[in-house]
Each structure stands twice: as structure tokens, then as C-alpha cells.
Amino acid sequence: MTVRRRRSCLTVPGDDERKLVKAAALDVDEVILDLEDAVAAERKEGARETVARALRDHEWRAATVAIRVNRGSAADLELVRATRPDVVVLPKVESAEELEGLPVPAEAQIETARGLVECERIAAASGLEALVLGPGDLAASLGVPELTIGAGAHVDYALARLVVAARAFGLAAIDGPYVGLDDEPGLRASALRSRALGYDGKWCIHPAQVEICNELYTPTAAELERARRILGVDGVARLDGEMVDAANRRMAEAILARLPPAQREP
Ligand code: COA
Ligand code: MG
């Protein structure tokens, strides 16, 4: 299975040439070329052409380039079939059947009440690599009286449920975007909340968010140093005033698993 890093997943409106050029050059783990909500209804057709050209013509620095399709759009799926991006992002997924027969690996956005109650069955679908929380659409679906994407009392529960479903089936878990622009403390707090639950990364909506997410979803030097000392303990021991045993060794392995394989050695 491909091990993709998804610390930062930058969405780019599929009809915006200037942003597509900019995104291609960024040190971001994944770029998502969006045909869905960032593109006005009358520009969808043009966006498919712009995305196809951008995929073909730009040198992409990101290891993973994805297309987000519109739910139920045959034309968008045709584009995915023709251009074969690394990944297809499916929005508003509500059943495992929606993931059948896709030409490339998928990421499923969970962002409706129905999607959330079905997320364990969705996570079991083959060809799926990640679950992605969509907090704005989920707020709308639940009737949460909020107007800012990511705000609302539903987010903690959705984050907790989604990561359990993802891990139960060996998938990555990706947090939705933080939409405050020029608000680094807010972005950090939002990313640290999902990091603390085990999330691999977060959607980014602006280039300024990418480096911060790359940093926050990478283990710190202190975490790595401690993880490696824990791996040196056999059986049970006192370490830094704490009991550590085999459970800590599994926790340390989980921290190291956040690094690319070549960097995991002690
Ligand atoms: N991807 C690539 N480049 C982006 C970008 C993105 N998501 N967002 C902004 N940029 C570029 C701008 O083109 C600009 O480049 P330039 O200096 O070469 O012109 C630079 O970064 C600074 O942008 P800024 O002026 O701060 O942004 P803005 O105010 O024009 O736009 C948004 C704000 C929110 C409209 C814009 O960031 C955006 O389109 N984000 C993505 C939205 C999206 O994909 N939503 C759907 C999924 S949630
Ligand atoms: Mg959405």
C-alpha cells in the first residue's frame, strides 16, 4: 500500500489558473484540485479543462495530487478516468457503494449526518485511503446554527468518531480546514485539537497554512527523543518519573510511524 503523507492537504479552486500555478510549486503533502464547492456552477465545465491542463502541464512538487469531484457528476468522474490523478476526493459520501469502481484510490469526505452514521461501513470500502471531516457541510446537515466553517459544538464528536472509524480499517484521518485567514494562533489550536486525537493532517485553504500544518503534524524533536528512549526499555521500568512498559513501546512506534520510513530508525 502507498504510504502518503497528508499533514497538509491544500485545496485549490479548479478554475483558478493563478492559484494552480502557485500550488504546484509549494512544499505541501497533497494538493486537491477542486471541482466542487470552490467553483461556481456556471464555471464547472471550464474548470474541468483547466484542471486537466494543470495536471498535464505543471511540474507538481506535492507527492500527491488529487481531484475533488462533484457528487454524482459523470463528467467529473470521466475526467478522473482520463487524467488519472493520484487520488480522487469524493464529497458528501453516505454509503460504501459510492466508492465502487473508481479508477484511482479515494478519500471520502464525511460531512452529512447520514455519512457520519455510516462512516464505519464507508471506512471498510476497498480502494479507500482516507476519511476527511467536512465540518461546514456537516453543520448544515445537522442544523447547527453556525456560519463559520469549523465552528460548532458538533466538531469534537465528529472528529472523535471519524478517527476511530478510519483507524479501525487502516485508513488515514484528515481534519477539515480552518477558514480564518491570517489567524495563525487559531490554525494552530485547530490543528493541535485533531492531532491530539490522532489525525494525520489537515486541509489547508491558503498557502500560508501549509508550513504550519507540516510542522504540527510532524512529531516534535522532544517526542522523537523520548520515543526512542522508551523503545530502549525492556519489560517495565521507571523512566522520567513514570512507569513505562510494552504499551509505551507501542505508543512510541505510533509516533515514529508519523515519519517517512527512511527517517524512522533510532
Ligand atoms: N492555492 C494556491 N494559491 C493560493 C490559494 C490556494 N488555495 N489561496 C491563495 N493563493 C495565492 C493567491 O493567488 C495569491 O497569490 P499571488 O500573490 O501570486 O496573487 C497568494 O496566494 C495570496 O493570496 P491572498 O490574497 O491572501 O488570498 P485571497 O484573499 O485572494 O483568497 C481565498 C482567499 C480563501 C479565496 C483563497 O485562499 C482560496 O481560494 N482558497 C481555497 C478555497 C477552496 O479551495 N475551497 C474549497 C475547499 S474548503
Ligand atoms: Mg463540503
Side-chain angles (χ1 to χ4, degrees):
M1 191 181 126
T2 325
V3 181
R4 291 178 208 286
R5 299 188 95 186
R6 293 184 168 93
R7 298 167 303 173
S8 53
C9 304
L10 178 70
T11 63
V12 190
D15 60 344
D16 192 327
E17 306 251 14
R18 191 180 172 92
K19 286 176 188 159
L20 289 164
V21 168
K22 184 138 197 160
L26 292 173
D27 182 15
V28 58
D29 285 345
E30 178 171 325
V31 175
I32 299 161
L33 313 180
D34 188 24
L35 297 172
E36 202 219 18
D37 285 354
V39 178
E42 68 278 10
R43 292 177 63 89
K44 300 279 185 195
E45 184 68 51
R48 280 189 286 271
E49 287 163 25
T50 306
V51 161
R53 235 178 303 120
L55 267 173
R56 187 190 63 214
D57 295 345
H58 300 335
E59 205 59 66
W60 293 91
R61 197 166 164 206
T64 299
V65 181
I67 293 179
R68 179 166 72 161
V69 297
N70 291 274
R71 186 167 192 252
S73 166
D76 288 358
L77 275 185
E78 196 42 55
L79 180 75
V80 170
R81 224 162 255 121
T83 58
R84 297 193 67 90
D86 298 304
V87 163
V88 58
V89 178
L90 299 180
K92 303 175 182 69
V93 175
E94 298 193 328
S95 74
E97 290 70 46
E98 292 170 45
L99 299 161
E100 285 170 8
L102 295 169
V104 295
E107 298 176 3
Q109 280 191 283
I110 303 299
E111 49 184 348
T112 61
R114 182 66 70 91
L116 194 57
V117 301
E118 291 291 327
C119 73
E120 293 82 11
R121 277 180 288 277
I122 292 167
S126 67
L128 188 62
E129 292 190 357
L131 295 183
V132 182
L133 179 65
D137 275 302
L138 185 57
S141 172
L142 294 172
V144 172
E146 285 287 350
L147 291 168
T148 296
I149 293 171
H154 63 300
V155 178
D156 282 328
Y157 168 69
L159 280 169
R161 178 153 178 185
L162 197 136
V163 68
V164 173
R167 295 298 189 229
F169 296 94
L171 306 182
I174 312 301
D175 191 5
Y178 182 75
V179 299
L181 298 159
D182 314 311
D183 177 11
E184 184 173 332
L187 173 63
R188 285 181 176 271
S190 175
L192 287 174
R193 170 174 63 170
S194 65
R195 179 199 212 266
L197 286 165
Y199 276 70
D200 298 284
K202 188 169 178 63
W203 269 24
C204 298
I205 44 131
H206 191 282
Q209 297 185 330
V210 167
E211 199 183 315
I212 296 163
C213 286
N214 284 348
E215 175 206 322
L216 288 179
Y217 290 97
T218 303
T220 64
E223 285 168 339
L224 290 172
E225 188 269 333
R226 183 146 193 260
R228 288 177 171 130
R229 275 194 298 130
I230 285 171
L231 287 173
V233 171
D234 242 348
V236 70
R238 172 190 282 263
L239 192 74
D240 307 329
E242 259 179 46
M243 181 212 80
V244 302
D245 70 5
N248 297 82
R249 288 194 285 283
R250 289 185 284 274
M251 293 159 81
E253 299 280 10
I255 293 219
L256 291 174
R258 289 178 165 267
L259 297 176
Q263 292 172 27
R264 285 179 204 161
E265 290 312 305

